Amino acid sequence: MMNSIQTVFTRPNVLFLLDGIKTTLLISLYVVILSIVFGTLLGLVRNYEKQFFGKLAGFYIELFRNTPLLLWMLGCAFLIPGSTILVKASVALFLYTAAVVAEIVRGGLNSIPKGQFEAAHSQGFSFFQTLAYIILPQTFKKIIPSLLSQVITTIKDTSFLAGLGIMEFTRSGQVILGKVTKTSEVFLIYGFLALIYFIICFTLSVLVRSWHKNNSENV
Amino acid sequence: MKKRNLLATVILSSVLFIGACSSDDGSTTEADTTKGSDQVTIASIKEAGVLKVGVKEDVPNFGLKNTDTGEIEGFEIDIARKLAEDILGDPDAIELTPVTAKTRGPLLDNGEVDMIIATFTVTEERKETYNFTDAYYEDAVGLLVKKDKNYEGLEDMDEANVGVAQSSTTSEAITSEAEQYGITVEFSEYATYPEIKAALDSGRVDAFSVDRSILAGYLDDSTEILPDRFATQDYGIATKKTNVELAKYANELITTWGEDDTLNGLISKWGLSE
């Protein structure tokens, strides 16, 4: 076992894996931020605009939520012209995650009593002011737990990119697997991958939960 | 009313989905026939000043990323360099794109790479979709088994479970050979070679079957490679079906290098001769 650790975790290999972690985290960061922004927009449109755009948003959300992520990644990577395969496949992850976030946001919006709109309106708030100052802040506070679990899912979903040869964390592990021949070394690498994903996601979950707890006590 | 809306959504989405699928087919055939300017020729490569090659980055000795330098190295990379040297006069004028068995076909079709040199086995079926050069390397499928099973060859392996890699042609080769002996074997597919080795060590499969050049790297005290050699597999350079000129040019080079022992030199350099 000691031998395996020494052959697997050489300095270049560790640096190579760290590079993979960096790519995974960067992709996750961009995808999460963009999909929360776009997802919120989609959720709002679907909830409050019942005409053409509402239906369009609804169609988009249902289409992405009910089809496999890998399909979209392959589709985007090979059918969109230009750019790198990394960017194109990440766009697919973003489009998919936005659809899920939209439904989470919509759930939050529906949990806010409708009377608040009327109350705000009577005080001279416009529809958009009501959304920005009254409805959305409450919505986000309520949906943080479900949003968090979606963020964690998204971080893990980036491992799909390995199938397309994108050098994120899982793929960097696979490249190192290419050189090893002993079973113990294989388990060591997979164990390491699992451990790092766990550390990232668990830390995030603990941080957000404690922040949420402190924050809701202040309200 | 709500039900009708739901029905409408379902119908609309299926129509769009089917539409997306069929327009996809349409666009590729269109690209094949009308976009003559997209053709990759020796002249267009010279104009671009770089040869774009799809290679493996996780296969030892053929194409493996060196975690120390970040460069991909191996026999196939050397071939790519030689091609670049011949076409562009500079062995470094290459752009390597890592491919997997899943991505190499589409990347070739959408023009992101000029050619694929990535342990791509030449088959009659694949020849209908891509141009292949003659083999730059010939390999045969072998069987790595546990010594304590006392197998002497495939003959003894009735109802054995054989571990093979996904999307590989190995299982077809073994099945046809097994039929001649009148025995049947089962197959389990794995994503990577070390996983198959792990399955062999833990007893989940009875044999690890892949090309002999790769098997040699997994030989240890408790295992042996059986003498069987089935279905010689030719690794060829693949180009897009429409790029006939490029395919011909590459083929001539491979033929020349085969005759003047250039290929053999590279094969022994990477420890691939048996």
Side-chain angles (χ1 to χ4, degrees), chain A residues 12-13 16 55 59 71 77-79 85 88 162-165 167 171 174-181 183 186 190, chain B residues 12-13 16 24 57-58 60 64-65 67-68 99-100 102-103 106-107 110 112 192 194-195 197-198 201 217-218:
Chain A
N13 280 4
F16 185 69
K55 292 214 174 83
F59 173 69
L71 194 76
F78 297 129
L79 298 179
I85 190 165
K88 288 186 280 187
L164 292 155
M167 196 53 82
R171 182 73 182 148
Q174 284 175 352
V175 167
I176 291 178
L177 272 180
K179 263 186 297 190
V180 306
T181 52
T183 311
V186 175
Y190 277 137
Chain B
L12 188 65
S13 51
L16 263 174
D24 173 28
E57 63 176 344
D58 57 352
L64 182 70
K65 189 143 192 159
T67 54
D68 207 352
V99 300
T100 64
K102 282 192 203 89
T103 64
L107 284 173
N110 74 4
E112 235 152 275
T192 63
E195 282 170 80
K197 180 59 167 41
D201 285 343
Y218 292 91

Side-chain angles (χ1 to χ4, degrees), chain B residues 51-71:
Chain B
L51 181 68
K52 292 182 287 179
V53 187
V55 295
K56 285 281 177 85
E57 63 176 344
D58 57 352
V59 182
N61 301 326
F62 284 91
L64 182 70
K65 189 143 192 159
N66 183 333
T67 54
D68 207 352
T69 58
E71 301 285 324

Side-chain angles (χ1 to χ4, degrees), chain B residues 19-34:
Chain B
C21 294
S22 52
S23 76
D24 173 28
D25 287 343
S27 64
T28 41
T29 43
E30 213 172 90
D32 284 350
T33 50
T34 58

Side-chain angles (χ1 to χ4, degrees), chain B:
Chain B
M1 194 59 196
K2 271 204 169 160
K3 262 188 187 161
R4 190 181 288 171
N5 268 345
L6 183 70
L7 195 68
T9 314
V10 170
I11 292 170
L12 188 65
S13 51
S14 11
V15 166
L16 263 174
F17 188 75
I18 293 162
C21 294
S22 52
S23 76
D24 173 28
D25 287 343
S27 64
T28 41
T29 43
E30 213 172 90
D32 284 350
T33 50
T34 58
K35 290 187 194 162
S37 57
D38 275 4
Q39 248 198 13
V40 182
T41 57
I42 298 299
S44 77
I45 291 170
K46 276 185 179 154
E47 200 179 316
V50 67
L51 181 68
K52 292 182 287 179
V53 187
V55 295
K56 285 281 177 85
E57 63 176 344
D58 57 352
V59 182
N61 301 326
F62 284 91
L64 182 70
K65 189 143 192 159
N66 183 333
T67 54
D68 207 352
T69 58
E71 301 285 324
I72 307 175
E73 298 166 349
F75 173 46
E76 289 174 336
I77 316 304
D78 284 356
I79 295 178
R81 284 180 181 283
K82 287 198 78 65
L83 281 165
E85 192 176 10
D86 188 274
I87 300 173
L88 299 160
D90 178 8
D92 292 325
I94 47 171
E95 185 186 302
L96 300 177
T97 303
V99 300
T100 64
K102 282 192 203 89
T103 64
R104 59 190 174 192
L107 284 173
L108 198 56
D109 280 329
N110 74 4
E112 235 152 275
V113 297
D114 300 331
M115 54 179 67
I116 295 281
I117 315 180
T119 60
F120 212 168
T121 306
V122 187
T123 65
E124 287 308 316
E125 243 175 31
R126 285 175 180 164
K127 269 186 186 168
E128 285 170 20
T129 327
Y130 307 109
N131 300 312
F132 280 98
T133 63
D134 290 342
Y136 56 82
Y137 185 75
E138 272 179 20
D139 208 347
V141 172
L143 291 163
L144 183 76
V145 295
K146 287 268 197 192
K147 277 182 187 161
D148 55 24
K149 290 265 189 182
N150 291 322
Y151 290 134
E152 288 193 356
L154 185 66
E155 265 177 294
D156 307 334
M157 295 181 62
D158 198 13
E159 289 179 7
N161 193 342
V162 179
V164 295
Q166 284 169 1
S167 311
S168 75
T169 48
T170 316
S171 55
E172 289 163 33
I174 298 179
T175 309
S176 66
E177 190 78 12
E179 272 167 10
Q180 292 178 11
Y181 291 122
I183 59 166
T184 53
V185 287
E186 285 168 40
F187 296 98
S188 302
E189 293 199 343
Y190 294 88
T192 63
Y193 300 138
E195 282 170 80
I196 312 178
K197 180 59 167 41
L200 178 70
D201 285 343
S202 64
R204 275 181 295 131
V205 297
D206 302 309
F208 172 1
S209 181
V210 67
D211 309 330
R212 292 173 72 106
S213 62
I214 297 165
L215 278 186
Y218 292 91
L219 198 60
D220 58 27
D221 297 339
S222 66
T223 54
E224 59 184 337
I225 298 178
L226 295 178
D228 300 67
R229 289 180 68 101
F230 349 94
T232 343
Q233 300 183 72
D234 295 340
Y235 290 163
I237 301 174
T239 45
K240 194 171 167 178
K241 195 75 188 171
T242 48
N243 297 331
V244 184
E245 185 214 350
L246 181 64
K248 208 175 151 223
Y249 191 90
N251 196 36
E252 274 164 18
L253 284 179
I254 290 297
T255 314
T256 319
W257 293 337
E259 283 161 3
D260 69 8
D261 264 3
T262 310
L263 287 176
N264 281 336
L266 287 177
I267 286 169
S268 44
K269 174 188 166 191
W270 290 100
L272 290 167
S273 42
E274 287 173 54

Side-chain angles (χ1 to χ4, degrees), chain A residues 5 24 40 62 80 158-159 175 186:
Chain A
I5 292 175
T24 289
T40 306
E62 295 309 333
I80 300 176
T158 56
S159 62
V175 167
V186 175

